Amino acid sequence: IGAGVALVYLLPRDFWGPLVQSHFLSFALFVGMNIANSANPVIARILMDLGLLKGEIGTVIMTATIVDDLVNWTLFAIILSDIAPSGTAGDQSLVWTIGMVALFFFVVLVIGRRFGPPALHWARKHVAWPSGFIALTALLILIAGSITEGIGIHAFLGAFLVGAALGGDNEEKNEAHDVIGYFVLSFFAPIYFVSMGMTTNFITHFDGLLLLIILVVACVSKIGSVLIGARMAGLPINREALAIGFGLNARGATGIILAGVGLTNRLIDERIFVAMVVMALITSLMAGPAMSYLLRHHSGFTKVAQNKALVE
């Protein structure tokens, strides 16, 4: 996050356009959190393809993405409340907003972790599967989103925390995740990305210099921070550490959604939005090949490659 904030303040203010001048600090934090973002679904798919999801590298990467998501989405909710129009959350103090976020975190995660598994077990036996379960999940998301909107925080934080509270490794939760995941990917995701593409002219608002600057800072800061963390933990700076850095460097759909919400709330303009979307796509496309190259001698990856060769 610090790298993104530093980038915004080091460059001339006029470089970022007139829209962001009225909320420059919030904009700088937004750029920082977008650069710090890692796309959990994309990274999980890459790790699955490489046969590393259940190994040590996969565990480190997925744990980091979960913490990253919690920090990023919480910070984003606070940023949006800071730029809210007069008469809404913008009239509330930042301390009050942070306090309400912390309280909501505690209530949803603690209660969700305590009562979520029994609720899933009950739903599996007493409602139609999967249609009834999808309806029940949608109701929980709407309730959580309404509560967060009511206290001046963006609705997506409530939906995100419901997912975090109900997440886990047991078979019932995984089945529930698969049911909702298939529904979202086949219905909502295409509608969202098509609508986003129709509302923004990616050719007119494309800025090559802006994209290059954001892309370089995003890659260097993400991979560099992983290497620094490895050194601080007493681990060697080797190919595995670099592979973890490239894996976490993928922004994927999460980065695109972040940019889309920022554009909708007038936190950024179309030029910055296009640059962030393209940056998210490039970092996601480069993650898989880079990890494959760096880990080509890794035992787990070698085994998967051998199995694929036998199948072919």
Side-chain angles (χ1 to χ4, degrees):
I1 295 177
V5 174
L7 170 66
V8 171
Y9 278 95
L10 285 174
L11 294 176
R13 291 176 68 107
D14 293 341
F15 177 78
W16 301 106
L19 179 64
V20 306
Q21 303 302 322
S22 61
H23 50 265
F24 203 70
L25 175 58
S26 295
F27 165 69
L29 290 171
F30 173 77
V31 173
M33 61 166 291
N34 204 288
I35 286 177
N37 168 62
S38 295
N40 188 292
V42 171
I43 296 172
R45 181 73 256 180
I46 294 173
L47 292 172
M48 288 177 61
D49 290 342
L50 297 180
L52 301 170
L53 184 60
K54 300 298 183 179
E56 182 178 355
I57 293 178
T59 301
V60 171
I61 292 178
M62 295 309 296
T63 301
T65 60
I66 292 172
V67 175
D68 176 271
D69 283 346
L70 286 172
V71 173
N72 263 351
W73 286 109
T74 303
L75 177 60
F76 195 23
I78 295 173
I79 291 172
L80 290 183
S81 69
D82 180 55
I83 65 168
S86 178
T88 60
D91 296 331
Q92 301 163 354
S93 70
L94 184 60
V95 175
W96 187 91
T97 301
I98 295 174
M100 293 304 296
V101 168
L103 177 62
F104 192 72
F105 254 77
F106 176 80
V107 172
V108 173
L109 293 182
V110 171
I111 294 179
R113 284 294 179 182
R114 173 65 180 85
F115 298 102
L120 283 177
H121 184 71
W122 178 89
R124 186 69 177 87
K125 291 185 175 181
H126 293 84
V127 301
W129 193 273
S131 58
F133 179 77
I134 292 175
L136 180 61
T137 304
L139 178 61
L140 290 175
I141 291 173
L142 290 174
I143 292 173
S146 298
I147 293 174
T148 51
E149 282 283 351
I151 61 179
I153 308 168
H154 200 282
F156 65 72
L157 183 61
F160 175 78
L161 289 179
V162 168
L166 297 179
D169 294 328
N170 66 58
E171 183 177 349
E172 204 162 47
K173 290 181 181 178
N174 289 334
E175 185 179 359
H177 172 273
D178 292 340
V179 169
I180 298 173
Y182 292 142
F183 177 65
V184 170
L185 291 175
S186 61
F187 182 73
F188 285 115
I191 294 176
Y192 175 79
F193 288 112
V194 168
S195 63
M196 185 171 59
M198 292 177 65
T199 56
T200 304
N201 191 323
F202 278 73
I203 298 178
T204 302
H205 299 291
F206 181 80
D207 187 329
L209 177 60
L210 176 61
L211 170 61
L212 179 63
I213 292 173
I214 291 179
L215 179 62
V216 170
V217 173
C219 293
V220 172
S221 62
K222 175 67 73 172
I223 299 172
S225 62
V226 171
L227 297 181
I228 293 173
R231 175 60 67 187
M232 293 176 63
L235 300 175
I237 305 300
N238 54 18
R239 301 174 73 93
E240 292 186 1
L242 282 171
I244 292 174
F246 274 100
L248 291 172
N249 193 45
R251 272 77 180 181
T254 309
I256 297 174
I257 293 170
L258 277 172
V261 176
L263 178 65
T264 302
N265 287 271
R266 306 300 295 167
L267 183 60
I268 58 175
D269 59 22
E270 288 83 357
R271 182 176 66 104
I272 300 173
F273 167 75
V274 170
M276 289 183 171
V277 169
V278 177
M279 180 271 290
L281 293 174
I282 293 175
T283 54
S284 299
L285 290 173
M286 66 189 292
M291 292 185 69
S292 178
Y293 172 77
L294 291 168
L295 298 175
R296 64 188 185 278
H297 299 304
H298 189 276
S299 59
F301 176 70
T302 303
K303 184 177 180 180
V304 172
Q306 291 174 345
N307 290 338
K308 288 183 176 180
L310 290 174
V311 171
E312 292 174 355

